[in-house]
Amino acid sequence: MQVEVRGRRARRWVAFGLIAFGALFSVIGLVLAGVSVSYVADGERASGTVVALDWQGGHAGGSRKSRSGNEPVAHPVVEFTPAGGTPTRFREFTGSNPPAYEVGERVDVRYRADSPEDARIEAFTTMWLLPLVFGGLGLLIAGVGTGIALYGRERS
């Protein structure tokens, strides 16, 4: 009897934790999606050029056999001219290895008219990947927690 009560309590805490964690991830995904939607709905569009690759992370002088988490990633630095403005540069917050863009490559840019330096490359990975990952994982984790809670309810 004592073991069964402890098992039920543990299952409830696990279910609660998973639902709460999943809800947090879902909210983060929704916030990130809202930011992307604001760029699409309210942002201006311009054409830009990748002028540099800003390599970040990794070990200086590390071996080639280093773990993948220690390898540097390239963040594109883009220059564009906003409507009626002066040329502006920004560093994209997402990076990759191998680089997703080459120096000299033309890209579409979304920016805020009141602060052109707050810009993004208009691509699926920069606009929608993080919201989908956080939202999807959040729904999956919360769904597992809900399943555990419902299973526990049926058994009792």
Side-chain angles (χ1 to χ4, degrees):
M1 180 81 166
Q2 185 79 11
V3 174
E4 186 177 320
V5 171
R6 284 187 184 173
R8 241 184 283 152
R9 283 186 188 156
R11 191 171 29 253
R12 284 182 187 158
W13 279 107
V14 168
F16 174 76
L18 288 173
I19 292 169
F21 193 70
L24 175 67
F25 263 54
S26 295
V27 167
I28 291 170
L30 285 173
V31 168
L32 292 171
V35 170
S36 292
V37 166
S38 75
Y39 273 97
V40 172
D42 302 330
E44 302 290 326
R45 182 184 248 165
S47 183
T49 304
V50 177
V51 294
L53 295 175
D54 183 17
W55 289 89
Q56 297 288 314
H59 290 304
S63 71
R64 285 192 173 269
K65 294 184 179 183
S66 65
R67 294 177 302 185
S68 62
N70 294 331
E71 294 185 16
V73 294
H75 297 266
V77 178
V78 178
E79 184 173 288
F80 71 102
T81 304
T86 58
T88 303
R89 283 188 182 197
F90 72 95
R91 178 184 168 269
E92 184 61 61
F93 69 95
T94 56
S96 62
N97 188 356
Y101 301 96
E102 296 178 6
V103 175
E105 187 174 343
R106 305 283 295 169
V107 293
D108 290 327
V109 173
R110 286 282 187 168
Y111 66 94
R112 301 188 191 281
D114 54 346
S115 59
E117 63 281 348
D118 185 16
R120 287 186 177 180
I121 294 174
E122 188 176 18
F124 176 80
T125 54
T126 57
M127 301 288 280
W128 305 111
L129 185 62
L130 281 178
L132 286 173
V133 167
F134 274 94
L137 282 176
L139 290 174
L140 179 67
I141 293 168
V144 169
T146 302
I148 290 171
L150 292 174
Y151 173 75
R153 255 185 146 191
E154 282 184 12
R155 287 195 62 195
S156 60

